Amino acid sequence: MKIVVCAKQVPDTTEVKLDPKTNTLIRDGVPSIINPDDKSGIEAALRIKEQVGGTVTVVCMGPPQADVAIREALAMGCDDGVLISGREFGGSDTLATSTIIAAGLKTLDYDLIITGRQAIDGDTAQVGPQIAEHLGLPQVSYAEDIQVESENSIIVKRQYEDRYQKVRIKTPCVITALTELAEPRYMSVSGTVDAYAKEIKVLGFEELKDKLNPEHIGLKGSPTNVVQSFTKQAKGKGLYYKDLSAEEAVETIVAKLEERHII
Ligand code: FAD
């Protein structure tokens, strides 16, 4: 089975800050990681490959330094990496991003495309389903388990808040992965050495221009406008009560909640 996993390089969110003037993330000096849902998607893809054979290609759209995320995926065991990168792609919102990624995917051979459910820096959960729409493929989102049933049929366990659904889907298709889908393996030592020897295919605007309308990418192809963004301010330090017994602590908390009409 030919599997392609879309993996986004994201800033480690606990350290993300926003530039109040430009409304964009300050990425300089912030450590980057593979988006957690995507890493589970990579692991799920590797397990399918181990079970039924095939290849796993990782695709990342981002600046040249996103190459590091691809090499990490290669070191985990992916076969190939594709970096979609170009100045023309900058400023893209989710619609333009999925348009560009879908154009890149059209240059590849695949039976199954796995994306994460959502990226921890954007959190929209839009890109995976949009890719499926652009490519005219069936999709199952929120996957917590994937079982290959036959050469062209997959059973996906789809998570809901209070239940799950088992969905049979024919390939080629798109599945969006939850972090719970599979615990990612560590990079192997030999995999890390090989990963840095491998060539990563780079697709820029020139390579994709036949598949893209320039009006649908970048800032001008993005219907979303960020009007304002802000970093949450730390709250006041609150009240500390020391040396209270459990009963006194309960009474104090209840009194405070009543005072504020919370209970
Ligand atoms: P989600 O929809 O939450 O991601 C779902 C899944 O899609 C991921 O788990 C992953 O598998 C896949 N995926 C998403 N993005 C990628 C990717 N890049 N590569 C591979 N797989 C991916 N971001 C910038 O970096 N630079 C900008 O200049 C910029 N300008 C923006 C301008 C506007 C007006 C807006 C609204 C957003 C802008 N963004 C920019 C953010 C950018 O739109 C999102 O990072 C991107 O579209 C992904 O959306 P998301 O993070 O919500 O992903």
Side-chain angles (χ1 to χ4, degrees), residues 31 39 56 64 82 139 212:
K39 221 168 167 180
V56 180
V82 178
Q139 58 174 298
L212 282 174

Side-chain angles (χ1 to χ4, degrees), residues 169-244:
I169 186 165
K170 291 243 179 292
T171 59
C173 61
V174 175
I175 295 174
T176 80
L178 297 175
T179 308
E180 300 92 297
L181 176 61
E183 175 79 28
R185 68 192 64 187
Y186 288 109
M187 298 176 277
S188 69
V189 176
S190 61
T192 309
V193 174
D194 293 348
Y196 277 85
K198 269 192 185 155
E199 200 170 319
I200 291 173
K201 184 169 165 185
V202 180
L203 298 175
F205 180 72
E206 273 306 306
E207 288 74 24
L208 298 180
K209 66 180 178 197
D210 297 343
K211 297 175 176 57
L212 282 174
N213 179 342
E215 298 300 314
H216 294 167
I217 60 169
L219 205 53
K220 68 176 167 185
S222 297
T224 324
N225 279 309
V226 180
V227 179
Q228 193 201 358
S229 58
F230 54 89
T231 312
K232 273 197 213 164
Q233 296 303 315
K235 290 184 180 163
K237 66 177 177 168
L239 294 169
Y240 290 90
Y241 297 94
K242 274 187 175 170
D243 305 325
L244 297 183

Side-chain angles (χ1 to χ4, degrees), residues 99-168:
T99 302
I100 298 161
I101 294 176
L105 292 169
K106 282 180 191 163
T107 69
L108 305 174
D109 229 6
Y110 53 77
D111 302 301
L112 169 61
I113 296 168
I114 299 179
T115 77
R117 179 238 339 230
Q118 67 188 46
I120 55 172
D121 58 344
D123 264 347
T124 65
Q126 294 173 358
V127 173
Q130 286 174 352
I131 288 173
E133 287 298 315
H134 291 307
L135 298 174
L137 295 177
Q139 58 174 298
V140 182
S141 52
Y142 289 72
E144 62 173 49
D145 188 48
I146 301 175
Q147 295 297 332
V148 176
E149 192 183 33
S150 68
E151 209 176 298
N152 61 354
S153 166
I154 294 172
I155 306 270
V156 184
K157 188 171 171 189
R158 183 179 196 275
Q159 191 186 83
Y160 285 85
E161 268 177 25
D162 56 348
R163 71 210 131 97
Y164 65 83
Q165 238 178 11
K166 279 195 167 176
V167 184
R168 176 176 288 120

Side-chain angles (χ1 to χ4, degrees), residues 34-56:
I34 297 180
N35 182 53
D37 283 352
D38 309 354
K39 221 168 167 180
S40 296
I42 292 170
E43 176 61 36
L46 293 172
R47 289 184 195 177
I48 294 172
K49 176 186 147 180
E50 283 156 6
Q51 194 193 334
V52 300
T55 54
V56 180

